[in-house]
Amino acid sequence: MTTYYELTGFQRDLLEAIAGVDDEPYGLALKDYLDERYADPINHSRLYQNLDRLAELDLIARDELDARTNVYTLTDAGRHLLQRHADTLASLCDQPRHVVGGGRQ
């Protein structure tokens, strides 16, 4: 099974984008979602190569929306991977932080 940290940062961001797009998560909607978060525009080739890789890893499913457009959804494995990471981040935020000199923040 693929772990979250075996994915590239861009692939992890794609999983988040698929989960976060309000409308149908098709290629250009995912590109728009990521373009808002990245300093440089996302290259189409990079986008689709990484979507293909996530599909190969069975983390996303690709279905035909119409004759020219695919829609991408998280599989159970992709949803589980993203949820585990979200849980890890949430638990880290709940932990007390120590600062230099022994004080607590």
Side-chain angles (χ1 to χ4, degrees), residues 35-92:
D35 279 341
E36 291 178 12
R37 288 153 178 81
Y38 277 64
D40 296 320
I42 304 301
N43 177 293
H44 284 228
S45 176
R46 178 183 185 198
L47 175 72
Y48 290 105
Q49 286 175 2
N50 282 281
L51 286 168
D52 288 344
R53 181 65 184 139
L54 292 172
E56 289 170 8
L57 294 170
D58 194 36
L59 296 175
I60 64 171
R62 176 182 32 234
D63 296 301
E64 197 173 277
L65 183 62
D66 60 40
R68 296 185 48 157
T69 308
N70 291 321
V71 64
Y72 301 90
T73 55
L74 296 174
T75 62
D76 288 342
R79 192 173 301 102
H80 179 73
L81 195 67
L82 198 56
Q83 184 62 56
R84 281 189 49 204
H85 183 63
D87 292 344
T88 298
L89 290 176
S91 70
L92 291 173

